[in-house]
Amino acid sequence: MRILGIETSCDETSAAVVEETGDAAKPWTTRSNVVASQVAIHREWGGVVPELASRQHIRDICSVVSRALAEAATTWSDLGAIAVTQGPGLVGSLLVGVSFAKAAAAASGLPLVAVHHLAGHIESLVLQNGELPLPSIVLVVSGGHTNLYLVETPGSYQLLSRTRDDAAGEAYDKVARLLGLGYPGGPAIDRLANSGDDRAVPLPTTRLTHADRNAPELKGDLDFSFSGLKTAVLRHVRAHEGPLSDAEIANVAASFQRVVVTALVERLFVAARRYGAKSVGVSGGVSANSRLRAALKERGEQREVPTFLPSLSLSTDNAAMIAAAGLRRLRAGHTASLDLNADPALPLT
Ligand code: KG4
Ligand code: ZN
């Protein structure tokens, strides 16, 4: 079966066609994955402007879907279902994808599948690598989330921990802004850090030991926190006499990145040991980070736990991962009715 995936939760309009392979070990293959990025529009404002994002999704959605079908050599009658991101995300952005998918499902008679954006990020690992050895610990690290999940059976996601404040990608974007590196900050810091000294600027690591009063069921020591780190960078920049030189900015970027990547990888492997994981995976926009990718591979080899990453194009927001997660849900018997609504705070159950 081929499925059309649609993703409009933030500032990328994306459509993709993903097909089942019939091979249980590597269940899906990508036939097309078209992304229309709005980065150039939001860069001017230093971040995503929700109203501009939803308007641009409306302009782009029809042509993005047409291209995804054409590149996949697929017509509407070749499809078996339509999957769409229901949430979480920006409500105006989500509504464009959800409305388009409902209209397409009504017109074509195809079943509609509602997908959680983070299920898409988790399943991007399976789309890329095939089914993971289970149990697996998966870190989803993006602009909006830094969540650790235990995956015991395919399609089940148990939240183990998450950030108490800023997401890692958000910290990247905020630190980039205060270093004057523009938007989006993650790729800019990643590039610049290569030429910096990652020990030049002493920055704090936050280690949480107590349970969160708002979520006592989670084990506190696996949680993340990045807002203190961001404030430390701000203090460093303010305490500096005059503007930072290019070399000093590169040193701050490298030092910041070292602390973030260390925190992410450490907690991932603590969780892997605690739950006897047979694999670990990292997905979401920040998984495109070169240092994180290198650290993950290195730790995986040392500890003999296989480590998995999506390709760079499957790391940041895309519809192929939504299509893959949609196939998982469809095969588990879940379809949505045509009164589906976007849910900006959709929980992952
Ligand atoms: O998953 P994603 O595309 O959208 C969300 O669901 O949030 O993630 C976007 C985030 C942004 O914060 C961006 O700065 C970050 O991923 N990012 C990176 C890199 N590429 C994107 N962060 C660090 N290094 C990168 N190379
Ligand atoms: Zn995302």
Side-chain angles (χ1 to χ4, degrees):
M1 182 197 283
R2 290 181 203 172
I3 192 167
L4 172 69
I6 294 172
E7 153 65 37
T8 63
S9 68
C10 189
D11 61 341
E12 324 275 6
T13 316
S14 183
V17 176
V18 168
E19 184 166 26
E20 287 175 315
T21 60
D23 174 359
K26 191 161 190 325
W28 313 304
T29 181
T30 305
R31 289 184 69 95
S32 66
N33 190 17
V34 175
V35 180
S37 173
Q38 302 179 2
V39 160
I41 293 166
H42 301 293
R43 181 172 286 138
E44 197 181 328
W45 307 95
V48 177
V49 183
E51 189 53 31
L52 293 180
S54 37
R55 287 172 191 222
Q56 194 60 33
H57 284 306
I58 291 172
R59 291 189 193 99
D60 287 338
I61 186 79
C62 291
S63 56
V64 166
V65 170
S66 298
R67 257 186 62 195
L69 290 172
E71 284 184 18
T74 297
T75 63
W76 289 98
S77 56
D78 298 325
L79 294 170
I82 299 171
V84 65
T85 306
Q86 185 191 2
L90 302 170
V91 69
S93 291
L94 289 164
L95 275 169
V96 178
V98 168
S99 306
F100 185 97
K102 288 198 294 186
S108 62
L110 291 167
L112 180 67
V113 187
V115 174
H116 192 284
H117 183 77
L118 298 188
H121 277 303
I122 295 170
E123 299 299 349
S124 74
L125 290 162
V126 178
L127 179 59
Q128 176 75 34
N129 305 287
E131 296 287 1
L132 307 182
L134 301 178
S136 182
I137 302 289
V138 175
L139 171 67
V140 181
V141 64
S142 69
H145 296 87
T146 306
N147 291 0
L148 267 182
Y149 291 96
L150 169 65
V151 179
E152 287 182 305
T153 55
S156 81
Y157 320 112
Q158 187 191 331
L159 183 68
L160 299 178
S161 75
R162 38 92 179 110
T163 179
R164 298 271 178 98
D165 39 59
D166 292 351
E170 187 181 357
Y172 263 96
D173 293 336
K174 287 176 175 171
V175 165
R177 190 180 314 174
L178 65 92
L179 293 176
L181 300 177
Y183 170 86
I189 289 186
D190 193 355
R191 258 193 315 277
L192 211 61
N194 286 325
S195 57
D197 172 0
D198 67 8
R199 302 268 172 186
V201 182
L203 293 169
T205 319
T206 310
R207 200 160 276 121
L208 296 155
T209 52
H210 55 290
D212 183 349
R213 268 176 304 172
N214 297 319
E217 73 282 7
L218 301 177
K219 298 268 183 292
D221 64 335
L222 290 176
D223 280 356
F224 301 92
S225 167
F226 295 107
S227 73
L229 176 60
K230 172 196 65 191
T231 306
V233 174
L234 179 66
R235 288 220 185 90
H236 177 80
V237 171
R238 287 209 176 134
H240 194 273
E241 277 183 31
L244 274 72
S245 69
D246 287 352
E248 285 164 331
I249 291 175
N251 287 346
V252 177
S255 303
F256 164 79
Q257 178 156 284
R258 181 178 64 79
V259 174
V260 173
V261 169
T262 304
L264 294 175
V265 173
E266 261 183 10
R267 250 146 275 180
L268 178 62
F269 281 92
V270 168
R273 278 196 298 279
R274 190 172 296 169
Y275 291 92
K278 297 209 169 67
S279 67
V280 299
V282 181
S283 63
V286 181
S287 73
N289 184 263
S290 60
R291 181 163 182 153
L292 178 57
R293 294 177 89 86
L296 191 70
K297 283 181 189 146
E298 193 185 313
R299 287 287 293 263
E301 281 157 18
Q302 282 170 10
R303 293 182 183 259
E304 293 172 9
V305 179
T307 63
F308 295 93
L309 286 159
S311 65
L312 289 181
S313 58
L314 289 179
S315 293
T316 45
D317 287 349
N318 68 90
M321 69 183 194
I322 301 304
L327 280 169
R328 177 86 82 198
R329 269 186 80 72
L330 185 70
R331 292 306 185 195
H334 299 290
T335 54
S337 62
L338 291 180
D339 64 359
L340 179 73
N341 201 358
D343 184 348
L346 186 69
L348 178 58
T349 48

